[in-house]
Amino acid sequence: MITAFFRTLILYFILMTGLRLMGKRQIGELEPSELVLTLIISDLAAVPMQDFGIPLVNGVFPIVTLLCVSLLLSFFSLKSIRFRGLVCGHPTVIVRDGKVLQENMARNRFTVDELYEQLRSQGYADLQSVKYAILETSGQVSILPYAREAPITPKGAGLNVPDDVTLPVLLINDGRIMAQNLHGSGYDEAWLTGELKKRRLTSPRQVFLLTVDEAGSVVCVTKEGRQ
Amino acid sequence: MKVFYLPAGVLALILACSLWAGRFLEMRTEHWTALLAGVSQAAEAEDWSGASRALRQAYEDWDRDQTFLHTILEHDALDEAEQLFAAAMAACRQEDGEEALIQIAQLTVCLEQIAETQGISIRNIF
């Protein structure tokens, strides 16, 4: 068991260091520590599951150890910016004022093809539109265009638009009433029954989806093929 | 601080359990090997009833810890020790001194190796 404990710690930190050295583009959407955790835990769980000759604790102890180490890394990352930088890395500017910072690209093993793929996927045809492109610690690229290239917003156009964005709350989910949401939104069953009656429905079971937003606007989708 | 103390505490607990399991196994192995040394002495003196009695006692003692041992050790290693116990008992029954001494020596080494896998050492970790 003690061997498993130390081996787990060593392997975790080796994988973490390896992923950090590989650069951000390998990571995708997970932070390095999360990715390492995902990689190892799935394997650790599978081994004692398949091999009955291996005691369960040989799988459980390393998994619990990893989860605890991960929680501790998160704690220290919250407490120390330097530590966070060490574990998660720092965002890297790869385009500034439309100019590719080749050294930063090379340091993160980020290719021109990948940069252009990211530009195209975010709707930019070339570098002339981009003021900054930042390679985030998660491996995603954030693109900040020049003001002249940015989509027009009401604020940018000097328009005074009323704030009509409201959050819809799910009240019926596949025929089931979400009582907590219903009461939390200030409504009750009687109101819900009334709303159903307005739509010639007799039971929540006939409803696939029903939401209400903060303005009281109700959206109702009935189940397909209902009687 | 709960965010820190809870995982740190669980880690400390796992470390303590692992160290305790290693120490426990080491102590038990010392006990079993001492009993097996008595079996060897009796076999060398051709005291076969004494050797069989001591070996049975060692086996019963070993058997009592099987549940715990199976939760921390790979079952193959325990099965090997079990087979060596059976072979040593057969040799004692047949009063085959040479074979009995060989089996007991192998069993002793096997038990020591099992305990060694749970000890904290650079050799084990790497």
Side-chain angles (χ1 to χ4, degrees):
Chain A
M1 283 204 298
I2 193 75
T3 307
F5 179 80
F6 280 112
R7 280 186 180 183
T8 307
L9 292 181
I10 290 167
L11 285 170
Y12 180 79
F13 286 108
I14 286 174
L15 275 173
M16 269 287 295
T17 311
L19 278 167
R20 288 283 290 108
L21 291 174
M22 274 161 62
K24 297 179 201 79
R25 72 184 185 89
Q26 300 287 337
I27 296 170
E29 288 180 10
L30 298 171
E31 292 287 346
S33 56
E34 294 165 341
L35 182 62
V36 170
L37 200 66
T38 313
L39 285 175
I40 309 182
I41 282 186
S42 55
D43 232 33
L44 282 172
V47 171
M49 251 186 253
Q50 292 169 337
D51 189 343
F52 299 143
I54 296 174
L56 193 61
V57 289
N58 280 13
V60 172
F61 267 38
I63 288 172
V64 177
T65 301
L66 279 175
L67 291 174
C68 291
V69 170
S70 188
L71 284 172
L72 286 176
L73 287 185
S74 304
F75 172 80
F76 289 120
S77 297
L78 276 173
K79 292 283 170 193
S80 158
I81 292 171
R82 276 187 74 177
F83 189 79
R84 194 183 314 158
L86 204 67
V87 173
C88 301
H90 297 281
T92 309
V93 178
I94 51 176
V95 176
R96 175 174 282 137
D97 294 326
K99 192 175 165 226
V100 177
L101 303 179
Q102 294 180 26
E103 198 181 322
N104 288 355
M105 294 257 296
R107 202 178 299 138
N108 286 284
R109 291 155 188 82
F110 204 77
T111 64
V112 174
D113 294 336
E114 287 164 323
L115 174 61
Y116 267 83
E117 190 182 314
Q118 290 287 336
L119 290 179
R120 287 193 299 271
S121 69
Q122 296 188 43
Y124 298 97
D126 56 44
L127 283 168
Q128 306 308 312
S129 316
V130 178
K131 182 155 192 193
Y132 296 109
I134 300 149
L135 182 56
E136 305 290 357
T137 55
S138 64
Q140 301 277 303
V141 177
S142 302
I143 293 169
L144 306 177
Y146 282 104
R148 63 174 187 271
E149 303 284 347
I152 296 172
T153 60
K155 188 184 170 189
L159 298 172
N160 190 14
V161 179
D163 181 12
D164 59 354
V165 178
T166 56
L167 182 69
V169 178
L170 192 61
L171 300 186
I172 298 181
N173 181 353
D174 200 7
R176 288 181 291 271
I177 296 174
M178 314 299 284
Q180 202 173 352
N181 292 358
L182 181 68
H183 299 137
S185 309
Y187 298 103
D188 56 18
E189 281 77 4
W191 172 85
L192 188 62
T193 309
E195 287 297 320
L196 293 178
K197 269 187 188 160
K198 278 187 210 168
R199 291 162 179 80
R200 295 179 184 170
L201 297 166
T202 54
S203 162
R205 282 196 292 273
Q206 296 170 304
V207 178
F208 182 66
L209 172 83
L210 189 138
T211 62
V212 64
D213 64 17
E214 287 157 341
S217 170
V218 176
V219 173
C220 180
V221 179
T222 54
K223 282 189 182 174
E224 285 175 2
R226 73 180 179 87
Q227 297 299 310
Chain B
M1 287 307 276
K2 191 180 163 192
V3 183
F4 172 76
Y5 284 121
L6 189 68
V10 174
L11 270 184
L13 186 69
I14 290 175
L15 183 60
C17 282
S18 305
L19 288 170
W20 174 81
R23 181 71 193 123
F24 174 81
L25 194 60
E26 194 183 313
M27 283 162 54
R28 295 302 291 152
T29 304
E30 280 170 12
H31 175 66
W32 295 322
T33 52
L35 290 173
L36 291 175
V39 177
S40 292
Q41 280 172 2
E44 277 171 4
E46 298 195 346
D47 172 13
W48 295 113
S49 64
S52 293
R53 203 169 41 249
L55 189 55
R56 176 134 310 270
Q57 190 195 338
Y59 178 74
E60 283 170 1
D61 210 74
W62 150 266
D63 197 46
R64 264 199 295 277
D65 289 323
Q66 285 308 295
T67 305
F68 174 68
L69 294 179
H70 274 79
T71 61
I72 63 163
L73 295 168
E74 292 200 8
H75 299 181
D76 287 349
L78 297 172
D79 293 344
E80 191 188 338
E82 196 78 23
Q83 284 165 8
L84 288 168
F85 262 114
M89 282 194 263
C92 284
R93 265 198 307 275
Q94 289 165 1
E95 301 184 358
D96 182 344
E98 199 176 330
E99 182 64 16
L101 288 173
I102 291 170
Q103 294 299 337
I104 289 162
Q106 284 183 344
L107 178 56
T108 305
V109 171
C110 178
L111 294 177
E112 283 169 349
Q113 281 177 342
I114 288 173
E116 198 260 325
T117 61
Q118 297 302 304
I120 179 168
S121 72
I122 296 292
R123 196 168 59 171
N124 277 344
I125 293 168
F126 292 95

